[in-house]
Amino acid sequence: DGEKRVDVEYRHSGGFTLVRSDTIVLDATAPTDPAVTSSSHTEGVGSADDTVDVELSGASDGAGSGVDGFSISWSEGAIEVPDTVKDLEASETATTSPALTPGSWYANVRTVDVVGNWTSTAHAGPFVIDTSGPVVSDDAPAGWARPTVLLTLSATDTVSGVDHIDYLVTDPPSGGVWSGSAASDTATLTISLEGTTTVEYSAVNGAGSRSATETALVRVDGTAPTTSDDAPTGWQPDDVTVTLAAFDALSGVQDTFYRLDGGTVEPYSGAFVVDGTGTIDVEYWSVDAAGNEETTQTAVVTIDRSLPSADHTAPADWSASDVSAVLSAVDAESGIDYIDYVVTDPPPGGVWSGSAASDTVTLTISAEGTTTIEYSADNGAGSRSATGTASVRVDESAPTDPS
């Protein structure tokens, strides 16, 4: 390579000679590639700008024919060798890429000298183009939960990666300044406040692009429902109808259950009949939509279907002195509430003239002649016995002597 002198002598048959000299330059060596840099993008760092500015500096051909220009190409994902079509003149030392799609791009530069020697290739990159924000999501449960929810916010960006997630925990949503940030592609929040909590969140990728703001609704209910009954207190003479009323202020009542005297558990769908005899335990409880189960409640229903029995101790014969007549009543279930009586002769069959809140009452009969006592008893369930009658005969006077 280099400059060479060529001397040529021409001789003519007539005897004269012509001498000519020429200088030629031989260049079989490719030039050196320029340094390829970018003033608009940093290699390996995401950018939302989809055009890349590159500068070329330092291309040289030494003592050769001189740099004539450059061929430049843009390749995604891997470097490549440009073709041998000149895109830039030697005097053009800067260029801008066309609009690039999201991804990692390389600038590939090849240099040519005046006589057509091409270099291999110089490369710059990757230049990460990311014009869209990350994709965000959350794992908030669709329904009510208890007693605490671990909410995970997630973001993905396949181009420039996720730089951070911003979030705002508020109820109602404020749409204001972010209250927290996680320098990661996930953020885990602990939500224990009862009720509905609103979490707004958004993520930023490595190119600085922000996703749309999304909203997660977290519903927490750690309180069990409450259930009440309308079972009557005290003894009842017949079947009892019981209605249950359940309430839950947050997630709402999902199911109510009951059972009688430790029997089969039944789902509550409306008023039910308690038809036993004696003391019957009615157990019931409710479950809300969050799964909170109420402590079992118990109502006691007492039923006495029988009538009390009443009797007396009045003597069947005449008595020569005052008579103590004992009226008594018995009820094996609910007991005796009171005994009513009327003392008259003749019996009126009307309003009771006396009452004793006991299962016995003693009446002293001193009137001579026949005294009639009518009596009846009520048990604890309000059922009345049949009316009984006692005839008391008193004769305290001596007979008269015959004439």
Side-chain angles (χ1 to χ4, degrees), residues 7-8 52 136 141 144 146 151 167 185 187 222 232 234 258 303 309 324 336 354 373:
D7 295 322
V8 180
V52 181
V136 293
W144 289 83
R146 64 180 178 98
L151 173 68
Y167 55 87
D185 58 0
Y258 72 94
I303 298 175
S309 60
S324 293
I336 299 301
I373 303 172

Side-chain angles (χ1 to χ4, degrees), residues 114-351:
V114 174
V115 297
N117 295 306
W118 287 91
T119 62
S120 53
T121 308
H123 309 281
F127 300 112
V128 180
I129 307 300
D130 194 353
T131 56
S132 59
V135 176
V136 293
S137 62
D138 64 77
D139 64 353
W144 289 83
R146 64 180 178 98
T148 297
V149 172
L150 292 179
L151 173 68
T152 299
L153 310 177
S154 303
T156 58
D157 192 293
T158 58
V159 181
S160 61
V162 175
D163 185 65
H164 64 275
I165 298 175
D166 294 322
Y167 55 87
L168 175 64
V169 180
T170 179
D171 185 23
S174 68
V177 178
W178 301 112
S179 61
S181 185
S184 174
D185 58 0
T186 60
T188 300
L189 308 178
T190 300
I191 308 296
S192 56
L193 179 68
E194 287 201 329
T196 300
T197 296
T198 301
V199 180
E200 296 176 333
Y201 61 97
S202 177
V204 177
N205 63 17
S209 298
R210 180 177 290 278
S211 71
T213 298
E214 299 293 342
T215 299
L217 296 179
V218 180
R219 301 172 178 87
V220 175
D221 182 1
T223 303
T226 57
T227 312
S228 60
D229 67 82
D230 65 351
T233 59
W235 287 88
Q236 306 300 313
D238 208 339
D239 294 350
V240 171
T241 299
V242 176
T243 300
L244 303 178
F247 173 76
D248 189 276
L250 293 175
S251 60
V253 176
Q254 181 166 293
D255 293 297
T256 298
F257 303 94
Y258 72 94
R259 64 182 174 188
L260 304 180
D261 266 350
T264 303
V265 174
E266 301 287 348
Y268 178 77
S269 59
F272 56 90
V273 174
V274 180
D275 60 0
T277 299
T279 299
I280 302 158
D281 288 335
V282 179
E283 297 176 290
Y284 58 88
W285 64 95
S286 294
V287 179
D288 64 21
N292 297 299
E293 184 171 317
E294 178 184 13
T295 301
T296 300
Q297 309 296 313
T298 302
V300 178
V301 174
T302 50
I303 298 175
D304 184 358
R305 301 177 186 276
S306 62
L307 300 178
S309 60
D311 204 353
H312 67 87
T313 62
D317 298 325
W318 287 86
S319 298
S321 60
D322 293 352
V323 173
S324 293
V326 177
L327 308 179
S328 60
V330 176
D331 189 282
E333 290 283 0
S334 59
I336 299 301
D337 191 33
Y338 55 88
I339 298 175
D340 291 325
Y341 59 88
V342 61
V343 180
T344 184
D345 187 25
V351 179

